[in-house]
Amino acid sequence: MSNKSALVQTWHKFKRLPFGNWLFTKAVCFKAPYFGSMKPYVLDLRVGHCSAVVKNRRSVHNHIGTIHAIAQCNLAELCAGVMVDATVPVKTHRWIPKGMTVRYLAKVDTDVRAVAEIDLPHKWIDKEDLVVPVKLYNTRNELVFTADITMYITEKN
C-alpha cells in the first residue's frame, strides 16, 4: 500500500482550498447522506487516523439538553468509517461496519470531538474483523464516550 490512499490525497487537495475541511466533510456526507444530519466537521485525516467534531446544537440534543447518545454513536461511526476507507487498500479490499460496543462515560454538554485510530502498519488478509477504537472528548478534553467498532474487511473477488 502506498503512503497515502486516494481518500487521503483528496483530503490534502481539499485542505488547500478555502473552507477545504468543510468541503471535504460535505463530500463525505454526500456519499453517506445519513451523517449529514448531525453536521459533522472533519478535523484531520491520515492513514490510520481520523478526527471530527459535532457542535453542541439543539438538533443533536436529547430530552435533557445534552448531545444524544446515538449522535455520539453516529460521530464515532463516521470517524471510524472515514479512517478505514482512508487506510484499507480499497483496490484489493472492501469493508462494512459489523458491530459496535459503546461506553457512555459522561453527559456531553459541549461540542464533542471524536478520534478514530488504529496501529500501523497492518497486514491486510483475505478476511478479518478489524476493531477500530474511537474516543470522544468534550471541549475540556475529558473522555466522555468510547466505542469499539468492528469493521468486516474482505478481499474483493
Side-chain angles (χ1 to χ4, degrees):
M1 181 176 80
S2 68
N3 289 345
K4 288 186 184 176
S5 72
L7 187 61
V8 172
Q9 290 175 20
T10 301
W11 163 255
H12 286 291
K13 287 177 187 173
F14 274 89
K15 270 192 68 107
R16 290 191 289 265
L17 300 172
F19 306 104
N21 291 45
W22 180 82
L23 289 167
F24 180 84
T25 304
K26 287 292 185 188
V28 167
C29 291
F30 181 78
K31 183 162 180 152
Y34 177 76
F35 291 120
S37 66
M38 64 182 171
K39 294 186 173 43
Y41 184 81
V42 176
L43 298 169
D44 189 29
L45 177 63
R46 56 188 183 272
V47 174
H49 172 95
C50 180
S51 61
V53 68
V54 163
K55 297 281 186 190
N56 182 24
R57 293 184 317 283
R58 188 176 190 287
S59 62
V60 294
H61 280 179
N62 56 25
H63 65 290
I64 60 172
T66 59
I67 295 184
H68 196 282
I70 297 305
Q72 294 172 58
C73 290
N74 289 338
L75 179 59
E77 186 179 342
L78 170 81
C79 274
V82 171
M83 184 279 296
V84 167
D85 207 59
T87 305
V88 169
V90 293
K91 289 185 178 173
T92 58
H93 289 74
R94 60 182 168 221
W95 63 273
I96 190 164
K98 184 176 181 181
M100 181 186 305
T101 303
V102 301
R103 288 182 46 226
Y104 303 100
L105 305 174
K107 289 186 262 183
V108 183
D109 58 359
T110 70
D111 298 352
V112 64
R113 175 178 51 93
V115 179
E117 222 162 23
I118 61 168
D119 291 330
L120 295 174
H122 184 87
K123 182 172 176 23
W124 303 105
I125 57 177
D126 62 337
K127 202 180 286 187
E128 72 175 294
D129 286 342
L130 175 69
V131 178
V132 177
V134 185
K135 296 180 179 179
L136 273 63
Y137 300 90
N138 62 20
T139 58
R140 297 179 295 276
N141 210 34
E142 298 164 338
L143 183 64
V144 295
F145 170 100
T146 63
D148 287 322
I149 302 177
T150 303
M151 300 294 192
Y152 182 55
I153 301 171
T154 59
E155 277 187 330
K156 291 180 179 176
N157 293 334

